[in-house]
Each structure stands twice: as C-alpha cells, then as structure tokens.
Amino acid sequence: MGQGQSTEHVARNVTTEQLGHSLAQRFAIKCFTPLELTHFKDIFRTLADNQDGIHFWKEETLCRFLVIPDALGPGPVIYQMATYLGAFPFPSLAPSILTREAMLNVVVIMTERYGKVLKKGRADRNKLFFRSLAVYDRRMSSVHEKPELATLQPWKHRDEKAAEEGHETAHSHVAGFEVDEPGSDEEEDDDELSLAALESLDAIEVFKNDQKADTKIHHARIPVDNFRGLLMLLLVLAPLESQDPLTRYAEGLTGSRLNGLRRVADSILWSFTPEENAGISYHAFNTIVPASLPYLFDGLNPLFEHFLFSKNIDLSRQRQSTANQAILLSTAPLVPDTPFEPLLQREGEILDLNILSQLSFFMKGSNLFRRLRLLYSGGEAGFSIGSFEQKVLNWRAPSILLVSGTRLSVVPHDSRQRALADKLPPKRHPDGVPGNSKSNKVVYGVYLNVPWKQTYKEAIGDSDSLLFQLEPIHEVFHASTLNRDYATLTKSGIAFGNPPARAKPVSGLSSHVTLGPVSLLLDESLEYGVFTHDVSGGGSFHPSKVRNHSWQDRFEIDSLEVWGCGGDDEAERQRAAWVFEEREALARKNLNLGRDIEADRALLAMAGLLASENHTSGGSMG
C-alpha cells in the first residue's frame, strides 16, 4: 500500500515536460546506437539557431536539411508535423519548439524506431500523423501558426518553474492545436496523462496518452491543399533509400513531371471523397490508408534517417572548423556519386515514374523499383490474345497488368459498340465518379502473384491477387477467399473476378457474358473493357470500403501493358523458354523423313497422313 501511495505521489509531482524529458532519454538509449546519437547531436548543433541559450531548428533549417523541393510546397506541412510530433506523448504541448529533445522524438517516430520502447505499431503512427496534419474543421486553416521566438523564454526556465509549481500540473506555454484543445464538454486529466507517461518508461503503451483526444479527433479535418502537397512529396520520396540524397529524385521536377504528380495526387485525394467535405476526416483516413495506401508514409523513414549520418564526422580526417564548411558537409549527399540505376528501365504508355510511385503505396517498393520489365504492350505487339499470350505466358514470376481507356457513352455509337452491348448483361449501374478528369479517362490494373497460363475450367491466381483502380480515383480491391475466380485467359478474352466462360452455350441459360460482382473484363479483341462494382459483393474481390454504391465503367481500351516483377534471372528464364519453344516448333516444321522415300511413304500411310496404294482413302474400322 505504501508503494502505491509513493507512486501516486511521484506522479503528481512530475510535470508533463519532465516526463517528456525522461521519455526522450529512454528513446536515445534504446532506439539509437551511440554512434548514431553522436551523428544526430552533431547535425542538430551545427544547424541550430541559438537564442538566450536555447538551441532550436526553424522551418527553413528543417526544409533545407531535408532538401524539400520548393516546387512541391510541402515544407510548412512537414514542419507542422514535426512540431506536433516533437511534443509526443502530450498533444497539449503542441506545437513544440524543435529543440534537440523534440527533434529526437520526431526522428524516432518518423523512422519507426519507437518499437524498442513502445508496443504499438504502424496504425498508431498513422493516427499520430493524422493529428499532426489536422485542424478543427471550423477554421480549416492551411497550416497552424508557427511558434513565436518569444515563447522560447519559458523553455529556458522550465525546470525552475517545474520546481516552483510543486504538485501542480504544468501546461505548455506554446499555443496548442485546436484539435487538441479541450472543449467545453471535455476536460483533460493531466494527472492521468502524467501517470500513463511515467508507466511508459517501463515499456507500457505511451500511445494511450493520445486516447483522451479520441472523441475530438472526429471533429478534425486535414486541409485538402496541405495533403495534396504532402502526397506529391511522398510520391517523390517513394524510391528513397536510407543514404540516398533526395536531390537525386527531386532534381528532375520539370513542368510535365509536376503535372503528372499532381494528377496522381488528385486521384488519391478523391479516394478520401473530398468533394463531400471541406477536408479529410479521420474516418476516411483510417479506412483508406490501411486498405489502399498501407505504404503511403514509408518514404518518411529514409528521409529522416538522414539525421543519423553526418558527413561532418569523419574518423579519417580532422573535423572542419568553420560553420560554413560544417553546414555544407551536413547537407551534402551522403553517398559518393555513383552510376544511378534507373528506377524503371523504360516508361510505357501507362506506367511512368509517377504511376510507379503510386503502385508502391500499396505494393512493396522493393518489388517494383528497378524490378519491373515490360513484357507486353498493345501499342507495340498488337491488340490480340495471340500476341498477348506470346509475350506473357513464359514469365515465371508475378506480374502487373495495366489498362487505360475512355468511357463509352450509354448509347452505342457504332456496330462494334452495339456488338459489345449485345454480349453483356443490360447495364444496371451508372458510370463511376469522374473525379477531376474531364476526359472520361479510366485506369485499372491487376497484380497476379502467379505465372500466366491459358485457362479452361479453372481460374488462376491466389489470395494475394489485387484488383485496383488508379484513375480517376485510387482504390484497391483485395482478393476474397469465398470465391477464387481471380483470373482467366482464354480466346474469349481476359477476365478478373469473372467465372470461367462456358465452353458451349447451355440451353435455357443466358448467352451473355457472366460478370462478377467486382470484376474487370477485356474482350477477345482487346478493344473494350468493362469494370463492374456491385456493392453487394460476394465475388472474388471485396467491394469498396468507402464508396457504398454500385457502378460500371464500359470503356474503349487506349493502352494495355503487362509488367513482369523480377530481375535478370526471371528474364533469362523467359528467354530460355522462348528459345526452347522456337526450336521445338522448328523441329516439327522441318521434320527430316530420311532418304528412303518408299519407307517414308509407308510410315506416313500408317500414320493416316497419306493414302496407301490399296486404298484411295482412309475408312472406318467398322
């Protein structure tokens, strides 16, 4: 009992700022090596501003060190996130001054190194990210106000004030986000928050401190313009590795590249249904990110790993002394100039660097960047099932099919469109939402984890198969295990989510093509495509988690591509298979029958390929 009273007494006499200091110390010890911590301290000290003995980073410093491209404009948003995360685990202290302890919190959370102290995972980091980006919807300002330098004075004397306040709970002297301010019907229990943080030093879940704001998080919104700029940055960051300089990927931000980034970002934004809200709600964020964008924030990990590699520390030579030299070394590329292997060997009609980064938001980038090979392009090989099979059947690794097209009008315009309409069941669902597109362009795709093969009675694919839409709205439809008709390849066309076609029409049954509830069909001429989304579900792919309505897109195919996921080994195996098949075909074509013509004629006659002298034609055995 005495122990419990002692713990309670300690909890009431420790301020949130002191607990934050203790947590930062634990992060430093548990989450970094001594060498990494030395690099971090050197980088912070070298670039920090100093006012009245307080060292801190300004927005300009943070953006310059991370080499955030001005053309994308997300610098203030990254700074906003940092000042919120710097106050972790007490949101009432946000926005924080980016002191060394605050920046340590930022790096720990951004790089996901907190797992050595905290027992929560990515879902909780995403929740923190939402809060760091959100504002109250009643104001919807683009970014919060930056902390004034005048607010630094209380930080200098915070230990003295904490001692003077005794058991009273300390509050931050920096104005907090509105999303974290207690409302008239809610009150923050600082004693409880302090106790929870104190327990966290024994590896109890620190993220529970944020649960006091759960009821208020649903009143917050992420401004759309802020999130668009962040999405464009994340698209550029997607291929970044720990010691890669961001300039390697940001230097090619031409006007056309920026337009492409903005187009992809808008497609992703529309998945959060911003047309219905002034901003992105937590419900939409928490639904879409895990399902369709699970790797969205992965690019932040290597970006903030840059804090752990200071070129100002070099054991092989003496340290440079001047501040200018130190700044240049700290912000210099972390690896020497080496031949840069392209992220994509060649761009296709659909797949470019922007779409490649978009794919990496829901497929592991290690399977995409520098790993994709164009197997088939309709524009090059021709739009036919034969040419499709010739290019893809020998690829023994996963692949990605991408198809783009233009929506057809409801009323067929010509005989080809009328023939398509006759094959399909009557259209019961409207077209999909056009998003920001005024051209009625759609882009759909499929990921297959198994090799392609011709199908007759059974479909191919497994539960790792993905059906997705990239434009005008980004969404991923995951495979279901209730129905396994994932993919079929026949002379009648290519289908995903449809049952295998019947060999012959059955009397009394409809002759129309059977479409699955969530499915994609490419007809036998590869001229038209049909994507169906029936909200009732029950097929091989789950329906949308956000759009609770049915739709069907019938479109004329503009481009069709298949990309193989693999390296040189997979390509070599495909080439070997092609060579073997060509040799077999040539051998069958140029069969050498020998020099004994009479014996050859007898052999052909026995095989039924040539009439014998006694019979002018073959006959039955009856």
Side-chain angles (χ1 to χ4, degrees):
M1 183 174 180
Q3 179 69 25
Q5 290 177 345
S6 176
T7 302
E8 183 178 357
H9 177 75
V10 172
R12 291 185 176 182
N13 283 274
V14 176
T15 68
T16 55
E17 290 159 338
Q18 289 171 328
L19 289 174
H21 174 71
S22 299
L23 182 62
Q25 286 184 321
R26 190 171 184 85
F27 279 153
I29 295 172
K30 295 285 188 179
C31 302
F32 301 98
T33 66
L35 182 59
E36 287 175 335
L37 203 57
T38 300
H39 280 260
F40 170 80
K41 291 178 179 179
D42 181 79
I43 290 174
F44 181 86
R45 181 178 59 254
T46 300
L47 300 179
D49 284 271
N50 183 4
Q51 180 170 320
D52 296 331
I54 303 298
H55 293 81
F56 64 97
W57 274 31
K58 298 185 297 186
E59 176 184 324
E60 178 187 358
T61 307
L62 180 65
C63 295
R64 186 177 76 249
F65 174 75
L66 295 177
V67 200
I68 304 296
D70 293 335
L72 301 179
V77 178
I78 294 294
Y79 182 72
Q80 170 183 329
M81 296 179 70
T83 57
Y84 184 95
L85 299 177
F88 180 82
F90 303 107
S92 62
L93 300 181
S96 68
I97 302 298
L98 293 184
T99 61
R100 192 175 72 184
E101 285 186 1
M103 282 305 307
L104 190 70
N105 286 345
V106 174
V107 175
V108 165
I109 295 172
M110 288 292 195
T111 59
E112 294 188 280
R113 291 186 173 222
Y114 51 77
K116 296 179 180 179
V117 175
L118 310 177
K119 299 302 181 183
K120 287 292 184 178
R122 176 163 296 196
D124 299 271
R125 187 178 80 142
N126 288 346
K127 192 173 186 179
L128 281 177
F129 283 169
F130 177 84
R131 287 195 179 127
S132 71
L133 291 165
V135 297
Y136 249 142
D137 59 352
R138 61 188 173 89
R139 191 168 71 177
M140 287 304 296
S141 59
S142 293
V143 292
H144 64 73
E145 295 182 1
K146 303 172 187 177
E148 298 292 339
L149 293 182
T151 63
L152 289 171
Q153 191 64 23
W155 283 71
K156 181 179 180 182
H157 304 293
R158 68 178 184 177
D159 291 335
E160 298 175 5
K161 291 182 66 63
E164 295 174 358
E165 290 174 357
H167 68 275
E168 295 179 3
T169 302
H171 294 274
S172 171
H173 296 275
V174 185
F177 295 120
E178 285 193 347
V179 67
D180 290 311
E181 289 292 334
S184 58
D185 57 342
E186 304 179 43
E187 292 184 0
E188 295 275 357
D189 188 343
D190 285 332
D191 284 344
E192 183 177 340
L193 287 176
S194 299
L195 181 58
L198 184 63
E199 292 174 344
S200 73
L201 299 181
D202 294 324
I204 303 298
E205 303 165 350
V206 174
F207 283 103
K208 286 183 177 179
N209 291 310
D210 281 338
Q211 292 177 355
K212 297 294 291 183
D214 277 350
T215 56
K216 290 174 288 183
I217 199 172
H218 297 287
H219 300 290
R221 295 289 186 273
I222 300 177
V224 172
D225 288 341
N226 287 8
F227 202 55
R228 179 184 290 108
L230 179 62
L231 285 173
M232 293 172 67
L233 175 64
L234 292 174
L235 288 167
V236 175
L237 290 178
L240 191 69
E241 297 180 359
S242 294
Q243 296 190 45
D244 284 348
L246 180 58
T247 52
R248 173 171 288 181
Y249 302 107
E251 60 188 5
L253 294 179
T254 61
S256 59
R257 178 76 196 279
L258 288 173
N259 289 334
L261 288 170
R262 190 173 295 107
R263 185 182 68 252
V264 172
D266 283 341
S267 295
I268 296 175
L269 276 173
W270 271 84
S271 65
F272 295 94
T273 62
E275 75 279 8
E276 299 176 3
N277 305 291
I280 299 169
S281 69
Y282 178 69
H283 174 73
F285 184 90
N286 194 41
T287 301
I288 287 293
V289 171
S292 296
L293 301 162
Y295 308 121
L296 174 65
F297 296 109
D298 278 15
L300 295 176
N301 295 36
L303 179 66
F304 280 82
E305 287 277 350
H306 283 57
F307 278 93
L308 309 179
F309 300 96
S310 172
K311 293 300 290 184
N312 200 31
I313 297 178
D314 192 337
L315 299 179
S316 63
R317 62 182 182 180
Q318 292 185 347
R319 185 174 177 176
Q320 299 290 336
S321 57
T322 64
N324 290 336
Q325 288 173 325
I327 291 176
L328 290 175
L329 286 170
S330 297
T331 58
L334 300 177
V335 291
D337 291 334
T338 56
F340 178 59
E341 184 180 357
L343 300 173
L344 194 61
Q345 287 187 349
R346 54 168 295 192
E347 293 190 351
E349 296 178 1
I350 303 175
L351 185 65
D352 57 15
L353 293 179
N354 303 321
I355 299 295
L356 182 63
S357 293
Q358 184 180 5
L359 293 176
S360 73
F361 286 170
F362 60 92
M363 289 186 274
K364 272 293 186 181
S366 57
N367 296 328
L368 299 175
F369 299 115
R370 306 180 182 90
R371 295 281 295 173
L372 292 187
R373 296 172 179 270
L374 182 61
L375 303 181
Y376 166 81
S377 171
E380 297 177 2
F383 290 89
S384 71
I385 295 295
S387 59
F388 183 93
E389 292 177 342
Q390 183 183 8
K391 296 294 185 179
V392 305
L393 285 185
N394 287 319
W395 183 258
R396 302 301 179 187
S399 60
I400 299 171
L401 178 144
L402 299 174
V403 58
S404 68
T406 305
R407 286 194 183 101
L408 300 175
S409 60
V410 177
V411 179
H413 282 174
D414 53 37
S415 59
R416 294 177 301 166
Q417 294 184 16
R418 284 192 292 271
L420 173 69
D422 292 340
K423 296 177 184 177
L424 301 175
K427 186 174 181 180
R428 298 182 294 109
H429 306 312
D431 290 344
V433 177
N436 285 338
S437 174
K438 297 181 180 179
S439 61
N440 275 326
K441 180 182 178 181
V442 294
V443 178
Y444 288 99
V446 177
Y447 168 77
L448 280 184
N449 196 42
V450 299
W452 287 86
K453 67 177 182 179
Q454 291 178 330
T455 58
Y456 300 98
K457 295 182 179 181
E458 296 182 355
I460 60 174
D462 57 21
S463 58
D464 291 327
S465 303
L466 296 174
L467 178 60
F468 51 87
Q469 182 180 17
L470 298 181
E471 192 178 341
I473 297 179
H474 174 103
E475 187 162 5
V476 178
F477 308 94
H478 292 267
S480 168
T481 56
L482 298 177
N483 189 318
R484 298 181 180 274
D485 296 330
Y486 300 119
T488 57
L489 172 60
T490 67
K491 298 301 181 182
S492 300
I494 309 169
F496 307 94
N498 291 341
R502 295 185 297 270
K504 295 181 180 180
V506 179
S507 177
L509 296 181
S510 172
S511 60
H512 292 145
V513 174
T514 303
L515 301 176
V518 180
S519 61
L520 175 65
L521 170 68
L522 309 181
D523 72 348
E524 68 275 8
S525 63
L526 301 184
E527 185 177 9
Y528 296 107
V530 180
F531 179 85
T532 302
H533 177 271
D534 192 323
V535 72
S536 62
S540 303
F541 296 94
H542 293 292
S544 171
K545 291 183 176 294
V546 175
R547 290 178 275 180
N548 57 355
H549 62 274
S550 300
W551 78 88
Q552 185 181 86
D553 285 333
R554 299 184 179 185
F555 56 93
E556 183 174 5
I557 296 175
D558 298 325
S559 300
L560 177 62
E561 299 172 353
V562 178
W563 294 81
C565 305
D568 294 336
D569 292 341
E570 289 81 3
E572 182 59 35
R573 282 195 290 269
Q574 186 188 40
R575 283 193 293 267
W578 281 341
V579 171
F580 176 79
E581 289 187 356
E582 289 175 0
R583 287 177 178 174
E584 288 293 302
L586 185 62
R588 289 191 298 269
K589 181 178 180 180
N590 299 325
L591 180 62
N592 187 357
L593 296 178
R595 299 181 180 180
D596 191 338
I597 298 178
E598 293 300 325
D600 292 341
R601 289 179 61 87
L603 178 63
L604 294 175
M606 286 188 291
L609 300 178
L610 184 67
S612 65
E613 295 180 358
N614 299 327
H615 300 278
T616 57
S617 64
S620 66
M621 296 183 63

